[in-house]
Amino acid sequence: MPLFPASFVEDLKSHADIVQVVQERVQLRRSGATYKGLCPFHGEKTPSFHVYGDKGFFKCFGCGVGGDVIKFVELYDKVSFPEAVRQLAARVGLTVPEQEDARQDVENQRERESLLKVHEIAAAWFREQLHMPHGGAARRLLAERGVTSSTADQLGMGYAPPARDHLRARLLKEGFPPELLVKSGLVIDRENGTTLDRFRNRLMIPIARETGAIIAFGGRAMEEGQQPKYLNSPETPIYVKGRTLYGLHLGKSSMSTARHAVMVEGYFDVAQALQAGITNVVASSGTALTPAQARLLKRFTTKVVLSFDPDAAGLGAAARTSELLVAEGFSVNVAVLPAGNDPDAFIRRHGGAAYQERLRNSRPYLDYLLDRASEGHDFTRDDSRREFLAQMLAVAARIPDAAARDQFADRLAHKARVTEEVVRAEIRKAAVQKQTSVSEIERRTRVSGAARPAEAGLIWALVHRPDAVVPLLPELDRGDLEGLATAGILEEARSLQGCPPTSLPGELIQRLNSQEVELVQEIGRHKQAPGDPAECVRALRRMRFDRERAAVQREIDRLQEEGAARYEQEILALWARKKSLLQQIEALIAPEPSAHASDGTRIFRV
């Protein structure tokens, strides 16, 4: 039996960006679709060492050495394969499977392979149905949307007929067990014990990994009033929405050649862009871009042209996506379309050449943002200028590159009619304050220092015992997390209720910023649990009620100082609220704890 499951090693290699890992040790420069540098494994004066970020491997054409990111760490750091794996896993936040878990991991790998086969057969079946007589309505819908048959074939589009269980019957005939079909998300297990196909009477759009393997589907409604308009696969052991970009498997080669990606929102935006000859296109699928998706995209390019809908929702999504991409080190431009046009509609109305012209005339995101944010401000008034500057300073502080921040300062100063020196000084101050704030958060939350044991206990359990802690998280609400340095981490964890426990630590890490990742890794390195998860949840809830009790007491004190007789009713109501809070605190106090929990882990009291 191998030391590490093959699925874990492949997952690790997909998370670890080989270009970033090598660049930390070797000076590289871009050369076309690859990166070149002097080989660190033999002496040379002319660069013959190449790193292929899109393919995930390196090769020296001088000495012949080559391999993947794990092999590079092995050779450069002079460590064993297991140690290289552990180093990279710690870097990207993946939990290394223990030896005793190997049998379960082998079973999980077999299950994932079966799920991939299920999706492959389902995609072929949907394509068959599209070309059957009953697929005529779906073919007409594609024609109405201006999607040619060759583009539909390129994207693997198909059709799910209205029948309740035809796909299920086909997959059962192929020998797949019913429980696997339910786990795939293609079949729904109803409460009355019956099962039926999830997708019925829908145009089917396969969703693939960057490798091209189909892992999910999007189903577009065929009839007016059919809800929802788009029905997507649920998350499964092989599909995590926040780590998938639609169309990346088709566009990744062009992105490396063109040195930029065009990011749109929807399936049909991708289809029309492909027909217009824009092959370096990818879609966010209409949801907020995640750091994991940004890091995946960064394997193929570091520049993005955003082309979202010009309505309020689309513009807001463009702003959020741009800020995330800029923070991840991307150069971002924004292509603005006329009102009422998404890329799909614009191309159908005006043609591919007109759309390509819009992309060529796209503007740097920060310029676009300055113009958009300046609307409604009167720069002849000091208060309006101050408000605008305060808003933009928050954006500037998130720009990771100092030179880029200074360039932004020049444009901001010109827009706000303020001297460049003043703006640059304020931006540098905002950036320093941001770093100081991050450092303070880290300081406060270190397990070895002044960390709240209740927070640390939940974070540790999310890494090592997700199956034990995830069911407890719904007991916490936003009020319980308010003011906690780990609030962002726990809030993300609460949103992953449907995620398989074995996948949760890695998926959580992908959604966090770099400072939060460092914190999770630091807590996770401790061998013993800082606290029992159930007691940690109770402790955080007690802390919340105690904060509220203190606030109520302060208000009572204030009203009594101003005149108890005048505020008698208000004070009585506050006393009642305080009594209720004290009862809630009392109810959350567990019996006197022993020094250790039943599993031997220490229990910390807050």
Side-chain angles (χ1 to χ4, degrees):
M1 184 175 291
L3 184 60
F4 302 109
S7 60
F8 170 76
V9 174
E10 288 305 311
D11 201 25
L12 175 61
K13 289 191 289 188
S14 71
H15 280 73
D17 184 343
I18 189 170
V19 174
Q20 289 185 1
V21 171
V22 175
Q23 274 183 329
E24 292 174 0
R25 298 161 171 87
V26 179
Q27 186 174 352
L28 299 175
R29 63 177 178 82
R30 184 149 192 149
S31 177
T34 70
Y35 291 82
K36 291 175 63 176
L38 295 175
C39 180
F41 306 119
H42 82 285
E44 64 176 7
K45 295 182 179 179
T46 303
S48 58
F49 180 80
H50 293 248
V51 181
Y52 301 85
D54 56 340
K55 298 179 177 64
F57 74 92
F58 71 95
K59 174 72 175 179
C60 177
F61 293 95
C63 65
V65 69
D68 57 27
V69 65
I70 301 174
K71 173 59 74 174
F72 178 83
V73 173
E74 279 187 78
L75 295 174
Y76 191 92
D77 292 357
K78 296 181 174 59
V79 297
S80 64
F81 174 79
E83 181 58 28
V85 167
R86 291 189 176 94
Q87 280 188 32
L88 288 169
R91 174 193 178 98
V92 300
L94 293 181
T95 302
V96 179
E98 300 297 333
Q99 192 66 32
E100 58 266 25
D101 296 332
R103 185 182 303 277
Q104 181 63 46
D105 284 307
V106 169
E107 294 175 2
N108 291 342
Q109 174 63 12
R110 291 199 188 107
E111 179 184 78
R112 284 190 285 268
E113 290 172 353
S114 296
L115 289 170
L116 288 171
K117 189 65 177 177
V118 165
H119 281 76
E120 180 185 336
I121 293 172
W125 187 78
F126 288 138
R127 289 195 299 270
E128 290 173 6
Q129 303 309 304
L130 180 64
H131 297 290
M132 295 281 191
H134 59 228
R139 295 194 298 274
R140 286 191 296 274
L141 174 61
L142 286 172
E144 291 168 3
R145 298 296 298 261
V147 178
T148 65
S149 58
S150 61
T151 301
D153 290 341
Q154 182 183 12
L155 293 170
M157 291 180 171
Y159 173 62
R164 291 171 57 86
D165 61 355
H166 282 193
L167 175 61
R168 175 180 176 275
R170 171 65 178 270
L171 294 172
L172 288 174
K173 186 178 178 181
E174 293 286 341
F176 296 108
E179 58 272 16
L180 184 73
L181 303 186
V182 173
K183 187 166 283 191
S184 75
L186 294 169
V187 171
I188 299 173
D189 194 355
R190 305 180 74 180
E191 292 182 1
N192 61 9
T194 62
T195 56
L196 71 159
D197 295 348
R198 177 181 297 273
F199 299 102
R200 302 184 304 280
N201 194 29
R202 289 182 178 271
L203 178 71
M204 297 303 296
I205 303 159
I207 300 169
R209 286 178 179 160
E210 71 276 14
T211 60
I214 297 171
I215 54 176
F217 291 94
R220 204 274 188 190
M222 292 290 303
E223 298 175 355
E224 191 72 28
Q226 185 179 353
Q227 294 297 326
K229 187 175 182 179
Y230 283 95
L231 176 66
N232 293 321
S233 292
E235 294 198 347
T236 68
I238 62 172
Y239 172 57
V240 179
K241 192 170 187 178
R243 287 162 50 183
T244 308
L245 287 169
Y246 176 70
L248 184 58
H249 65 298
L250 296 174
K252 61 183 183 181
S253 297
S254 297
M255 291 172 194
S256 297
T257 304
R259 299 192 181 183
H260 75 276
V262 177
M263 182 174 287
V264 296
E265 288 186 277
Y267 305 127
F268 284 98
D269 295 330
V270 170
Q272 289 297 337
L274 289 173
Q275 289 183 177
I278 303 161
T279 54
N280 55 324
V281 64
V282 69
S284 61
S285 300
T287 58
L289 194 74
T290 67
Q293 289 170 320
R295 288 192 286 271
L296 173 62
L297 185 60
K298 201 172 184 181
R299 289 169 51 191
F300 309 102
T301 184
T302 56
K303 181 175 181 179
V304 175
V305 178
L306 287 182
S307 181
F308 285 2
D309 295 1
D311 60 14
L315 293 175
R320 291 189 297 272
T321 300
S322 296
E323 286 198 29
L324 187 150
L325 289 171
V326 168
E328 291 290 338
F330 282 83
S331 170
V332 183
N333 276 28
V334 177
V336 180
L337 298 177
N341 287 266
D342 56 16
D344 169 31
F346 184 89
I347 293 172
R348 283 189 283 134
R349 291 169 184 166
H350 304 286
Y355 183 62
Q356 289 181 339
E357 185 66 19
R358 291 276 177 166
L359 296 177
R360 279 193 293 270
N361 292 328
S362 62
R363 303 177 58 213
Y365 157 68
L366 293 173
D367 287 349
Y368 160 81
L369 180 64
L370 279 174
D371 285 345
R372 184 164 178 258
S374 65
E375 294 175 2
H377 286 283
D378 180 1
F379 294 118
T380 63
R381 293 168 43 204
D382 289 343
D383 60 337
S384 187
R385 283 208 302 271
R386 283 195 297 269
E387 182 183 344
F388 174 71
L389 283 171
Q391 181 182 350
M392 290 297 97
L393 287 174
V395 174
R398 290 191 287 270
I399 301 174
D401 181 68
R405 284 201 302 271
D406 278 349
Q407 291 173 3
F408 183 64
D410 295 343
R411 295 195 290 270
L412 178 55
H414 178 73
K415 178 70 71 175
R417 304 178 190 177
V418 180
T419 62
E420 293 172 8
E421 292 76 11
V422 170
V423 174
R424 286 190 181 195
E426 288 299 316
I427 286 179
R428 282 193 288 271
K429 187 189 302 181
V432 169
Q433 287 174 346
K434 178 176 180 287
Q435 293 299 320
T436 302
S437 174
V438 168
S439 299
E440 178 63 14
I441 288 172
E442 290 178 339
R443 185 192 66 76
R444 286 172 54 208
T445 53
R446 290 190 185 280
V447 179
S448 57
R452 286 189 176 102
E455 297 175 73
L458 293 181
I459 301 298
W460 191 93
L462 285 167
V463 174
H464 297 284
R465 297 176 57 200
D467 55 334
V469 71
V470 169
L472 300 172
L473 293 179
E475 297 179 28
L476 297 171
D477 60 29
R478 288 183 182 274
D480 298 321
L481 304 181
E482 185 179 349
L484 300 184
T486 58
I489 301 171
L490 296 174
E491 191 64 43
E492 286 290 354
R494 289 177 67 237
S495 71
L496 293 172
Q497 290 296 312
C499 185
T502 55
S503 305
L504 188 140
E507 173 59 19
L508 176 63
I509 286 291
Q510 293 302 311
R511 298 188 178 205
L512 304 178
N513 61 41
S514 58
Q515 290 78 26
E516 290 169 335
V517 168
E518 287 181 23
L519 173 58
V520 171
Q521 291 172 346
E522 181 185 25
I523 294 174
R525 279 194 288 269
H526 285 247
K527 293 183 178 180
Q528 284 193 329
D532 174 72
E535 171 55 20
C536 289
V537 168
R538 286 195 293 270
L540 291 181
R541 298 200 68 206
R542 289 200 306 273
M543 289 163 57
R544 180 259 185 95
F545 291 137
D546 196 56
R547 289 195 302 271
E548 293 183 11
R549 178 204 57 75
V552 169
Q553 184 60 58
R554 285 194 297 272
E555 182 64 6
I556 291 173
D557 294 342
R558 186 185 70 81
L559 293 178
Q560 287 180 333
E561 287 178 6
E562 292 187 9
R566 290 169 52 200
Y567 297 103
E568 181 179 359
Q569 293 302 315
E570 290 88 341
I571 291 172
L572 288 174
L574 288 168
W575 274 111
R577 173 62 178 155
K578 179 181 174 181
K579 181 179 179 182
S580 173
L581 288 167
L582 288 170
Q583 290 172 342
Q584 288 174 292
I585 292 170
E586 187 69 26
L588 287 168
I589 296 177
E592 271 306 301
S594 58
H596 294 80
S598 58
D599 62 357
T601 58
R602 287 186 64 195
I603 294 182
F604 289 73
R605 290 289 176 183
V606 176

